[in-house]
Amino acid sequence: MTEFLKEYDIIVIGGGHAGIEAAYAASRKGVNTLLVTINLDTIGFMPCNPSVGGPAKGIVVREIDALGGAMGIIADKTNIQSRMLNTAKGPAVRALRVQSDKVQYQLAMKKLLEDIPNLDLEQAMVKELLIEEGKVIGISTMLGTKYKAKAVVITTGTYLRGEIVIGDIKYSSGPNHQMPSIDLAKQLEELGFDLVRFKTGTPPRVNADTVDFSKTEIQPGDDKEHAFSYETTEYIKDQIPCWLTYTNSKTHEIIDENLGRSAMYSGVIKGTGPRYCPSIEDKYVRFSDKERHQLFLEPEGRNTKEIYVQGLSTSLPDDVQRDMVHSIAGLENATIMRNGYAIEYDAINPTTLWPTLETKLISGLYTAGQLNGTSGYEEAAGQGIIAGINAACKILGEEPLILGRDEAYIGVLIDDLVTKGTNEPYRLLTSRAEHRLLLRHDNADMRLSEIAYKYNLISEERYVRFCQKRKLIEDEIARLKTFRITPTKEVVEKMRKLNTAELKDGILAIDLLRRPELNYYDIINLANQNIELSKDIIEQVEIEVKYEGYIKKSLQQVERLKKMEEKKIPTDLDYDEVPSLALEAREKLKKVSPLTIGQASRISGVNPADISILIVYLEQRKTR
């Protein structure tokens, strides 16, 4: 009989961004949780660039916060610079990005986890999962200690059989020279998981005291106050700038002369790298017509001299990295404090997961983060919170949480993974979301607060504040429909100054707000009113009014697609019994086991004709 040191409801393996959100969500739902990680000092560690957010990713952080998660709270507390991106474009693509204080982020995240009830932290290497009759029952550490659990969430990032590569040197290691996880990778393979080999990389870090910033372009943060978290009330005032420089013909000449020594091109690296975050060698080869490539010099924190050279990710040998860095304007005399490197690691084929992120092979076992084939802290955290919520729901007997593609970028991310799989490290992009006008930075709370409250993820107080905000938005939109602006002498003069067409007759305030050149404050000024509403409420009112027609079309499309999602497919359906299905469709459907007709229609290789055949078969089966 197995002797367990202690029993938990849920055990989370890994303390990266996915593991943090999984453990935080599970413990907030009241289940007894253990987070086990190789090194407690690296909880929330940022092995790549020290930033949070960006296009699509920033909206994921807002969604995590709307669901009561941790990333947005800590990013707001520890950032050194914030910028709202794409402000000149429409609201669907606006996104917040903050430069983080790398060390302070880790410390603040660790303290957050240490202070929450129902959560224990332990430093240990997990050697194996304990499985009985197709169900996970616990874990065993390298020291032989066993813990019992009703569910386990694996969030091992790039640690599974991790190998660091610099030039022709390759050695077993996790990120930043941490211990890799070897035995767990072997066990997953033995259990029948389809493992793939992926690769990612990081650039050199240089000493700020050796950089000539006068030769670079300063990139300051925004003057406006920004936040990821709806709970944030205090903002960082003393922001630190980043700087912009470029590669040049000399840099490219050095790369060209040493391509044979690059692990990417010498055959040392076997794994597939991320298309949207290529190494500098890859950029040089793929975009040979480019005379230069942007490089951002990003401080890693307030109390360190290390500067992250964003855009110079490389696996070239040490001497080549130094020559390359010294060829760049401002870095001629820069001292490299840490070399860039590539890391290869094992990931699982995500089509072996249900949309809840529970594995199809082992009951009660969930996976999240880079283990599922994604890249990025935000994608990892978004999966982590869903895996943690669903593991807790399984134990508590609650309905699992599956976010739709129209409800959240997190829903798009997970649906893409489990339905289509990925043959490279997956990065979330705004172009992946067909309903992106509905999935905006400004309305994450409107989309997800009801869900968060239903699943006991946010407090009663926070929910009441959300309801008050929602009512203020609704009331103000209704109020704008109740009064007219008439072309008085004063109004005509104001409109001339605003460079907008003069009025011939009175017009409802809401119709005037639809003019693209006018904003809410212009309307209130023209009406000689003084309304006290917060900036976030005004932003919501403006967007809802100006984009009403587009939003309605998107919602109509969502309603049509929902009919497909409502058509359930039995999990025990034998696709070999469905007549006339194309061979490729049959194989793909058997591999993915879609839960709905909607999901089946999104599988690569399944055509509309196959879907029609499947619908007819299911109707006939129901009749029988």
Side-chain angles (χ1 to χ4, degrees):
M1 183 177 176
T2 305
E3 287 189 19
F4 294 99
L5 178 64
K6 194 170 179 180
E7 181 173 350
Y8 289 92
D9 292 316
I10 293 174
I11 294 174
V12 177
I13 303 172
H17 305 282
I20 287 167
E21 298 296 349
Y24 192 53
S27 56
R28 280 183 296 119
K29 281 190 66 65
V31 298
N32 198 17
T33 307
L34 171 68
L35 186 150
V36 185
T37 184
I38 292 171
N39 186 348
L40 287 175
D41 294 331
T42 57
I43 284 177
F45 176 61
M46 295 179 172
C48 204
N49 62 322
S51 69
V52 174
K57 293 166 175 277
I59 301 173
V60 169
V61 182
R62 289 281 272 184
E63 293 171 353
I64 290 167
D65 186 76
L67 292 169
M71 180 174 263
I73 297 169
I74 302 304
D76 289 344
K77 282 184 179 178
T78 62
N79 77 74
I80 57 178
Q81 185 194 106
S82 64
R83 297 181 75 181
M84 185 65 75
L85 307 180
N86 300 326
T87 52
K89 299 180 181 179
V93 293
R94 290 174 201 157
L96 180 60
R97 182 184 188 271
V98 305
Q99 200 66 29
S100 294
D101 187 308
K102 186 173 180 174
V103 174
Q104 291 304 314
Y105 185 93
Q106 288 175 243
L107 293 173
M109 195 63 86
K110 183 168 181 274
K111 186 176 189 308
L112 182 76
L113 296 184
E114 287 173 341
D115 290 345
I116 191 169
N118 307 314
L119 178 60
D120 289 345
L121 305 180
E122 181 171 335
Q123 180 169 295
M125 170 74 79
V126 175
K127 184 179 176 66
E128 66 174 330
L129 304 168
L130 303 177
I131 312 287
E132 276 187 8
E133 298 177 352
K135 185 181 187 310
V136 67
I137 63 162
I139 63 165
S140 176
T141 72
M142 187 181 284
L143 299 177
T145 310
K146 294 179 173 59
Y147 294 96
K148 194 172 186 181
K150 296 170 186 171
V152 172
V153 184
I154 310 179
T155 66
T156 46
T158 61
Y159 283 80
L160 283 190
R161 277 196 287 229
E163 291 181 301
I164 280 181
V165 188
I166 303 173
D168 59 358
I169 297 170
K170 188 174 191 176
Y171 56 93
S172 183
S173 176
N176 203 38
H177 310 288
Q178 296 289 314
M179 288 176 64
S181 178
I182 308 295
D183 292 328
L184 191 56
K186 290 178 180 176
Q187 186 191 17
L188 289 175
E189 202 166 43
E190 289 164 2
L191 288 170
F193 284 93
D194 180 14
L195 298 185
V196 294
R197 197 74 174 157
F198 281 167
K199 164 257 172 188
T200 188
T202 188
R205 274 74 159 175
V206 299
N207 188 318
D209 288 344
T210 62
V211 176
D212 184 352
F213 292 107
S214 67
K215 295 183 178 179
T216 68
E217 301 169 32
I218 193 166
Q219 303 285 299
D222 289 348
D223 293 330
K224 294 181 181 178
E225 294 177 338
H226 301 301
F228 281 120
S229 178
Y230 291 95
E231 299 286 276
T232 295
T233 55
E234 295 181 7
Y235 301 87
I236 303 295
K237 303 293 185 185
D238 56 332
Q239 297 190 59
I240 298 175
C242 297
W243 295 268
L244 174 64
T245 186
Y246 299 88
T247 62
N248 52 54
S249 58
K250 178 63 176 173
T251 318
H252 298 174
E253 183 183 320
I254 292 166
I255 295 168
D256 186 63
E257 289 173 354
N258 291 280
L259 269 181
R261 299 179 67 196
S262 165
M264 280 284 296
Y265 292 92
S266 66
V268 175
I269 288 178
K270 304 296 183 186
T272 305
R275 186 189 327 175
Y276 301 102
C277 189
S279 67
I280 190 65
E281 305 97 284
D282 214 14
K283 278 193 270 192
Y284 167 72
V285 172
R286 285 166 53 189
F287 309 107
S288 56
D289 57 318
K290 295 269 187 184
E291 293 183 0
R292 63 182 190 172
H293 296 285
Q294 283 187 335
L295 302 174
F296 289 94
L297 307 182
E298 302 176 341
E300 295 221 319
R302 296 182 186 277
N303 300 307
T304 177
K305 298 291 185 183
E306 288 190 72
I307 297 281
Y308 182 94
V309 188
Q310 164 77 308
L312 202 68
S313 176
T314 183
S315 60
L316 283 161
D318 174 47
D319 60 309
V320 181
Q321 289 192 35
R322 293 178 194 282
D323 290 344
M324 189 166 59
V325 165
H326 292 155
S327 71
I328 295 162
L331 304 182
E332 293 90 346
N333 299 303
T335 300
I336 293 179
M337 298 177 73
R338 302 189 200 218
N339 279 109
Y341 63 83
I343 183 168
E344 285 190 298
Y345 58 95
D346 285 348
I348 67 168
N349 179 348
T351 60
T352 58
L353 304 172
W354 298 113
T356 59
L357 296 181
E358 184 178 19
T359 67
K360 295 172 183 175
L361 290 174
I362 307 293
S363 175
L365 180 64
Y366 295 76
T367 62
Q370 284 185 267
L371 173 63
N372 289 346
T374 58
S375 65
Y377 311 142
E378 302 83 1
E379 289 92 336
Q383 294 170 72
I385 196 169
I386 298 301
I389 291 167
N390 285 330
C393 286
K394 187 179 183 79
I395 291 164
L396 297 170
E398 296 176 1
E399 191 73 19
L401 174 58
I402 300 174
L403 294 173
R405 297 179 70 91
D406 61 305
E407 292 177 304
Y409 268 98
I410 296 173
V412 173
L413 163 68
I414 293 174
D415 183 66
D416 277 354
L417 290 173
V418 304
T419 304
K420 302 173 184 176
T422 182
N423 56 11
E424 64 179 320
Y426 175 102
R427 181 178 182 177
L428 198 53
L429 307 166
T430 52
S431 59
R432 296 191 192 272
E434 60 271 39
H435 308 299
R436 56 185 171 273
L437 185 55
L438 304 178
L439 310 179
R440 307 186 306 271
H441 170 91
D442 63 273
N443 72 347
D445 58 340
M446 296 294 139
R447 292 183 273 122
L448 299 173
S449 291
E450 286 288 353
I451 292 170
Y453 184 65
K454 173 187 171 184
Y455 280 87
N456 197 29
L457 297 167
I458 58 174
S459 67
E460 184 76 29
E461 179 189 358
R462 179 167 175 176
Y463 179 67
V464 168
R465 286 202 309 272
F466 157 72
C467 291
Q468 291 169 343
K469 176 183 174 182
R470 181 171 58 185
K471 188 172 188 310
L472 284 170
I473 293 167
E474 291 169 352
D475 288 351
E476 184 59 11
I477 291 174
R479 194 185 74 82
L480 290 170
K481 297 176 182 177
T482 63
F483 65 93
R484 304 177 75 83
I485 295 173
T486 54
T488 64
K489 185 177 179 182
E490 182 185 4
V491 166
V492 168
E493 182 59 30
K494 286 180 178 178
M495 294 186 78
R496 191 175 293 121
K497 288 179 180 177
L498 291 169
N499 290 318
T500 188
E502 292 183 14
L503 294 176
K504 303 297 182 185
D505 202 352
I507 185 172
L508 283 173
I510 196 164
D511 292 329
L512 195 57
L513 181 54
R514 291 193 173 99
R515 291 189 180 184
E517 68 273 16
L518 299 181
N519 61 38
Y520 175 87
Y521 297 104
D522 295 331
I523 304 304
I524 297 306
N525 181 34
L526 288 168
N528 277 324
Q529 294 181 356
N530 185 22
I531 303 297
E532 295 292 332
L533 290 174
S534 64
K535 289 186 295 183
D536 58 336
I537 289 172
I538 290 169
E539 181 183 31
Q540 288 267 290
V541 168
E542 271 196 24
I543 292 171
E544 291 293 328
V545 171
K546 287 184 179 294
Y547 293 88
E548 181 185 16
Y550 298 105
I551 291 170
K552 276 185 178 176
K553 283 182 180 178
S554 293
L555 290 172
Q556 288 167 358
Q557 183 187 20
V558 167
E559 284 305 309
R560 287 195 298 270
L561 294 172
K562 271 187 177 175
K563 293 176 182 176
M564 301 276 276
E565 298 299 333
E566 288 167 1
K567 295 181 187 294
K568 304 294 182 186
I569 300 175
T571 54
D572 63 347
L573 180 65
D574 184 353
Y575 289 98
D576 288 328
E577 292 185 357
V578 182
S580 305
L581 270 181
L583 183 60
E584 182 184 5
R586 197 183 304 275
E587 289 174 353
K588 294 288 182 66
L589 289 164
K590 284 158 68 173
K591 184 178 181 181
V592 175
S593 296
L595 298 178
T596 67
I597 289 293
Q599 187 186 359
S601 69
R602 293 189 292 275
I603 298 172
S604 175
V606 177
N607 298 315
D610 301 309
I611 295 299
S612 298
I613 290 166
L614 188 56
I615 290 172
V616 170
Y617 178 81
L618 290 173
E619 288 297 328
Q620 291 173 344
R621 173 176 157 145
K622 188 189 293 184
T623 304
R624 289 197 301 271

